[in-house]
């Protein structure tokens, strides 16, 4: 009986023949280039399959790029909107800053400011008491401010310092009913006392006889009497002069040159009578030796209200002179 399937070469022989054929083909391709055209045709035939297999990855890359670009655009858009908001707010403040700059220039270049020592101060707060007219400024004892110091601006006299703290001070405005200032009429040099009228832009001239030569429109300036306010600074302009025969004094009101409801920057003034400080030195025997005069600009302003201690000063010892007539 004949078998259905004939017996062929063994597996070992087949493997050997396959290896030998593969080595021969590789050698022929590397040395002779016999299969270059065949490889080119096979590569061309397989290329569409490679592109099709690579298509999902390329689509994912495109989608990822678009998503990241969208996120970047959103982030940049938010940053630009934030910067635009800041720039708009700066533009809104530009007009105010320009006005403040102009006010400071007018304040420092005011013709009322003479050779006295001065310092710019800014209003921090306004007293909310309706019966008191005071403001808080950002200068205090460390800056040399003292109680009773005159305060002005580019329009005239504002008031005087009523309280001094370490880093801030309280200014009693000229219109406060408890405040008074000696003034004089520019037209004829008549001197009177003006007190606060208890309302904005108004002061009162009290105890003025009805026969006094004061007219509506007269300019009042500080007279310098009392040594509190420097002389010659504008205070107010007379707005009304009325008198009654039954009263011994006339009723005179004046409108201040300073607009007290618009105070922002002020000038602290050291009058000329405080521009020099005398320091007396005393020897050990109690006799005075010399008097040193120092300008206020060369002296620490904190010591203006402090008495000098002789022990803190270096005093030269006087030499004893023999008299030939003795």
């Amino acid at each position: 009986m004949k078998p259905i399937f004939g017996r062929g070469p063994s597996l070992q022989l087949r493997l050997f023949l396959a290896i030998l054929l593969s080595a021969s083909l590789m050698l022929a391709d590397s040395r002779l280039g016999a299969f270059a055209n065949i490889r080119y045709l096979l590569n061309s035939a397989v290329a569409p399959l490679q592109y099709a297999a690579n298509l999902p990855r390329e689509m994912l890359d495109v989608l990822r790029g678009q998503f990241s670009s969208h996120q970047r655009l959103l982030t940049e858009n938010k940053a630009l909107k934030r910067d635009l908001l800041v720039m708009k707010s700066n533009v809104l403040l530009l007009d105010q800053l320009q006005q403040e700059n102009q006010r400071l220039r007018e304040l420092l270049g005011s013709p009322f400011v003479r050779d006295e020592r001065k310092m710019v101060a800014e209003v921090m707060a306004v007293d909310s008491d309706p019966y008191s007219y005071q403001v808080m400024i950002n200068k205090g004892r460390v800056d040399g401010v003292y109680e009773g110091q005159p305060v002005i601006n580019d329009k005239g006299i504002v008031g005087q310092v009523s309280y001094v703290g370490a880093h801030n001070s309280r200014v009693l405005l000229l219109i406060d009913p408890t405040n008074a200032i000696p003034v004089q009429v520019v037209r004829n040099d008549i001197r009177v006392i003006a007190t606060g009228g208890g309302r904005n832009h108004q002061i009162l001239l009290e105890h003025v006889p009805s026969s006094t030569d004061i007219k509506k429109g007269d300019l009042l300036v500080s007279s310098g009497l009392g040594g509190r306010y420097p002389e010659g600074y504008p205070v107010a302009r007379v707005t009304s002069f009325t008198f009654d025969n039954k009263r011994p004094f006339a009723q005179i009101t004046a409108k201040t040159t300073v607009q007290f409801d618009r105070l922002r920057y002020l000038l602290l003034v050291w009058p000329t009578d405080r521009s020099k400080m005398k320091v007396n030195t005393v020897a050990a025997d109690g006799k005075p030796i010399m008097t040193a005069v120092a300008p206020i600009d060369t002296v620490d302003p904190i010591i203006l209200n402090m008495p000098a201690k002789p022990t803190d000063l270096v005093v030269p010892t006087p030499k004893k002179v023999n008299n030939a007539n003795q």
Side-chain angles (χ1 to χ4, degrees):
M1 185 172 178
K2 253 174 137 177
I4 298 176
F5 301 102
R7 180 176 296 181
S10 63
L11 295 177
Q12 291 79 4
L13 180 60
R14 293 177 184 178
L15 178 60
F16 176 75
L17 293 176
I19 294 174
L20 181 61
L21 180 61
S22 299
S24 301
L25 293 175
M26 288 188 294
L27 181 62
D29 183 55
S30 62
R31 296 294 183 180
L32 303 176
F35 300 99
N37 294 330
I38 297 175
R39 188 167 54 253
Y40 176 77
L41 294 175
L42 292 177
N43 189 18
S44 299
V46 176
L49 297 177
Q50 293 178 344
Y51 282 109
N54 194 37
L55 184 61
R57 185 181 64 83
E58 291 183 353
M59 294 179 62
L60 291 176
D61 292 340
V62 172
L63 292 177
R64 185 172 64 247
Q66 291 181 355
F67 182 76
S68 61
S69 300
H70 182 70
Q71 289 295 112
R72 185 173 64 254
L73 290 176
L74 289 178
T75 305
E76 292 179 356
N77 191 19
K78 290 181 180 179
L80 290 175
K81 286 183 178 179
R82 184 171 59 252
D83 295 341
L84 180 62
L85 181 61
V86 174
M87 295 300 295
K88 285 184 177 180
S89 63
N90 292 337
V91 171
L92 293 176
L93 293 177
L94 180 60
D95 294 337
Q96 180 181 356
L97 293 176
Q98 289 178 346
Q99 294 177 2
E100 289 183 359
N101 188 22
Q102 183 65 25
R103 287 197 295 267
L104 286 174
R105 289 180 180 272
E106 293 176 356
L107 185 63
L108 294 176
S110 174
F112 305 136
V113 181
R114 298 171 295 190
D115 58 348
E116 296 95 348
R117 184 190 172 198
K118 51 191 178 294
M119 178 185 298
V120 178
E122 184 176 0
V123 175
M124 299 173 57
V126 179
D127 198 338
S128 59
D129 188 354
Y131 302 102
S132 177
Y133 293 87
Q134 300 185 35
V135 295
M136 186 73 70
I137 59 176
N138 62 344
K139 302 295 180 182
R141 190 171 300 277
V142 297
D143 302 296
V145 181
Y146 60 92
E147 292 186 5
Q149 183 173 8
V151 181
I152 66 172
N153 68 355
D154 58 322
K155 303 298 182 182
I157 291 182
V158 175
Q160 60 178 319
V161 177
S162 60
Y163 170 78
V164 181
H167 300 282
N168 53 23
S169 302
R170 190 177 294 274
V171 178
L172 183 67
L173 301 182
L174 202 62
I175 57 177
D176 191 274
T178 62
N179 201 358
I181 178 175
V183 297
Q184 66 181 16
V185 182
V186 174
R187 180 172 56 85
N188 50 20
D189 292 336
I190 292 179
R191 293 183 174 88
V192 293
I193 301 297
T195 60
R199 64 180 64 180
N200 284 333
H201 319 310
Q202 186 184 81
I203 61 173
L204 306 176
L205 304 183
E206 296 182 344
H207 309 294
V208 179
S210 58
S211 60
T212 305
D213 184 15
I214 297 180
K215 300 179 180 180
K216 181 180 179 179
D218 283 342
L219 178 63
L220 306 176
V221 298
S222 55
S223 64
L225 297 178
R228 179 60 57 87
Y229 296 97
E231 181 181 0
Y233 285 89
V235 176
R237 192 174 292 273
V238 177
T239 55
S240 65
F241 184 96
T242 58
F243 63 91
D244 188 355
N245 293 330
K246 299 180 181 180
R247 297 182 179 181
F249 302 110
Q251 298 178 353
I252 305 175
T253 60
K255 182 179 180 180
T256 59
T257 58
V258 176
Q259 296 180 341
F260 290 94
D261 56 347
R262 300 181 182 180
L263 295 178
R264 181 66 184 277
Y265 296 100
L266 307 177
L267 276 179
L268 295 165
V269 179
W270 282 260
T272 54
D273 58 346
R274 294 179 64 91
S275 63
K276 292 184 179 182
M277 184 179 68
K278 296 182 179 180
V279 181
N280 296 322
T281 58
V282 183
D285 56 358
K287 296 181 180 180
I289 296 177
M290 63 179 181
T291 301
V293 180
I296 191 171
D297 291 338
T298 61
V299 179
D300 189 349
I302 300 178
I303 65 173
L304 289 177
N305 295 327
M306 299 172 58
K309 297 181 181 180
T311 57
D312 295 339
L313 302 175
V314 179
V315 181
T317 305
K319 296 183 180 179
K320 184 176 181 181
V321 180
N322 295 327
N323 194 341
N325 296 329
Q326 291 180 354

